Structure formats: structure tokens, C-alpha cells
Amino acid sequence: MNTLGQIFRLTTFGESHGTAIGGIIDGCPSQLRIDFDFIEKELLRRKTAQTETASKRKESDHIEWLSGLLDGVTLGTPIAFMVRNEDCKTGDYEALKDVYRPSHADFTYEQKYGLRDWRGGGRASARTTLPIVVAGAIAKQILKVKDIEVFAEVDYMGDAQQAQKEGDTVGGIVKCRITGTPTGLGEPVFGKFSAELAHAMFSLPAVKGFEIGDGFEMAKMKGSEANDIFINKEGKISTLTNHSGGIQGGITNGNDIVFRVAFKPIPSIAKPQQTVNKAGKPCEIAIEGRHDVCALPRAVVLVEALAALVTLDGMMLANRL
């Protein structure tokens, strides 16, 4: 499953240290003039080597558009694009090729496929999330015509600078809000809008938690505290509160959709750790190379992009475009 969406679909490909990474967007409407400057700005938001605690890997992230466009206008056919990997340092991972890094996908990938790409994590690397940003930027442009916008921000982040000094990493939480969504998006059982959002968010590396509205805090409330009371607001039915995060019964109710995504600490740490190699023999590792100290704030644009993709696909499924 390398594809997200039912009508507006994104398929991604590539590995961290392979020739290139990229994507194919299918279902994009024709006659949309693409704002390439906006896409570049979105890519800049996830770019490496911009802060002291970010990975020092330096990539130009230049997009090569392969199909689906004519003079910057969508044709309605599949949009294919790729970004070449330019700053790979495979040697940084040579010593780890036969070792299972704690909390990485090394062991599980090898168990599933019989082998793994040890160069920078291969397909499991955060490098492979770049195509999500590109597709999300296009989705945002389409949604904007319907006055639907997506905005995410860092809600919580550990002390990255202190962790870096200690050779460690930290996690964090991203909060996202989708405004302008109409009522009626989402299906009643196995296609709830909240479930589609969760499915998309859990596709990101390091995501370990997801909640809609007040989420887990609602488990501590009484029904009288958690219920969103309906009101007539200037002739329009709305709710007094938004504990549900804009979704009830899996279907959007017209309020802002609000959710939070929790990211675990990056598992690549410089501190010595105990593990085993492919032969099952105990060994100690201290991971060197170029790694983020925290997935945030570079993950903010990824959360926005996926939210935009899910929303656009939901709008198309409901024939609301």
C-alpha cells in the first residue's frame, strides 16, 4: 500500500539513498493552473539543514515534472514527478547494515521482505515523505477555491537543544485545524472522516498517537461536559462547543476539524545502546551521521499536506467540488 486516496490518489516511490523519490497523482481535475512557487515554499518548510537540531543533509529538492501538465496547467491525466537524491552519504550506515537499530524499521522490514535497504533507512526514511508535501500543496490550491484551509502548528515539543547536547532526541505534538469544511463528509462506518485522517497521519514515520477534538481528555469527562449542544446561530444550526473536533458519527458537522498528532522521539541517537545483530549476537551501537533531534517542526507541513489530501478526496467522494 503505497497509495493514499480513492479519487484524488497519491502513490509515492523511492528510498532515502536511492536514485530519486517521487510520486504519481491521479484524479487531479484538469485546467488547474499550478502555483509552483507555493509548492517550493511548502517544500522549504520540511527541508533539512535549516536549524541546529535538524539533519545536516543538504538537498536541492528540485522537482522534475514528468507528466500531466502543459504550460503549468493540469491535463486531468496522471501527474508524475520526481526529486533526485543528491547528498547521500551511504558510508555513514555501512557499520549498521547487519545491526538492528532500536525502534527503527530494520528488523520488521527484514522480517517482511527478507532483506532491507540499510542505506539511511531506505523506504522507511522520513526522506520519502517529500512527495506528500508536493501533492498536499496541489490539494491545498484546489481546496482554497472552496474556501477550505488547513493550518497546523507545534503544540508541544521537548527541549531539542538540551537533548542534542546529551546525544539524545525528543518527541512532540502537532495540532491541526481544517476550516471551511462543509457538513456531510465521511462515511458512517468504515470510511469515517476521522478514521481517514488517522489512517493518513499514521502513515508518517514516528507517529504514535492521534486524537480528534478533545480526544483522550473526553474519557475523563461526563456526558454533560463532553456533549456539543446544538444552537441556532444567525439562522444556521451550529454547536455551542466543539469537543468533537468537527466530526460526529464519523461525518463532518460543519465546525472546524481539530486534531492532534503525537510524534515519538527520533530513534537515531548518539548515546550508546544495546542491541543485537542479524545473527542474534548482542552488540552496542552509537548512531552517527545526520539526523533530526526531533521530527518537529519539519513534520508540521506533512500533517497539513495529508489533511489536505484527505479533505480533498472526501470532497470529491461527496461530489462537493
Side-chain angles (χ1 to χ4, degrees), residues 46 58 62 121 211 316:
R46 74 156 297 281
K58 294 182 179 181
H62 172 69
E211 65 178 10
M316 289 181 164

Side-chain angles (χ1 to χ4, degrees), residues 156-269:
Y156 166 80
M157 187 173 76
D159 190 337
Q161 291 186 332
Q162 182 61 34
Q164 187 176 46
K165 292 177 183 177
E166 299 170 355
D168 218 327
T169 59
V170 294
I173 298 173
V174 172
K175 183 177 182 179
C176 186
R177 183 180 298 270
I178 310 172
T179 64
T181 51
T183 58
L185 302 185
E187 302 303 319
V189 183
F190 298 115
K192 295 178 187 291
F193 198 84
S194 47
E196 295 301 315
L197 282 173
H199 170 72
M201 298 305 151
F202 275 111
S203 70
L204 293 176
V207 168
K208 287 296 182 180
F210 176 85
E211 65 178 10
I212 288 282
D214 288 350
F216 287 100
E217 285 300 314
M218 294 182 78
K220 305 174 186 178
M221 297 179 182
K222 295 178 181 178
S224 57
E225 299 171 317
N227 286 347
D228 292 317
I229 305 302
F230 286 102
I231 59 173
N232 188 323
K233 187 176 181 180
E234 299 176 355
K236 182 181 179 181
I237 295 178
S238 184
T239 58
L240 192 62
T241 54
N242 192 23
H243 298 302
S244 300
I247 299 173
Q248 293 166 326
I251 300 171
T252 58
N253 64 9
N255 288 336
D256 288 356
I257 297 170
V258 183
F259 64 91
R260 301 201 309 166
V261 185
F263 291 79
K264 71 174 183 177
I266 300 294
S268 295
I269 65 175

Side-chain angles (χ1 to χ4, degrees), residues 126-140:
R127 174 68 179 160
T128 64
T129 62
L130 185 150
I132 294 173
V133 177
V134 176
I138 292 175
K140 284 181 180 180

Side-chain angles (χ1 to χ4, degrees), residues 3 22 61 89-90 133 172 199 210 215 218 233 250 252 312 315 319:
T3 301
D61 290 347
K89 292 185 178 181
T90 303
V133 177
H199 170 72
F210 176 85
M218 294 182 78
K233 187 176 181 180
T252 58
L312 178 56
M315 290 283 287
N319 294 316

Side-chain angles (χ1 to χ4, degrees), residues 67-124:
S67 69
L69 300 172
L70 178 63
D71 298 327
V73 178
T74 59
L75 294 169
T77 55
I79 300 172
F81 62 92
M82 72 176 187
V83 173
R84 296 182 186 275
N85 293 320
E86 301 168 341
D87 188 25
C88 301
K89 292 185 178 181
T90 303
D92 289 347
Y93 299 89
E94 187 76 34
L96 302 172
K97 63 187 301 185
D98 294 321
V99 176
Y100 297 131
R101 296 170 296 171
S103 288
H104 275 274
D106 301 341
F107 176 74
T108 52
Y109 264 58
E110 197 160 280
Q111 291 298 302
K112 181 176 178 64
Y113 298 108
L115 75 166
R116 63 182 170 93
D117 186 346
W118 50 269
R119 305 167 303 168
R123 185 75 173 139

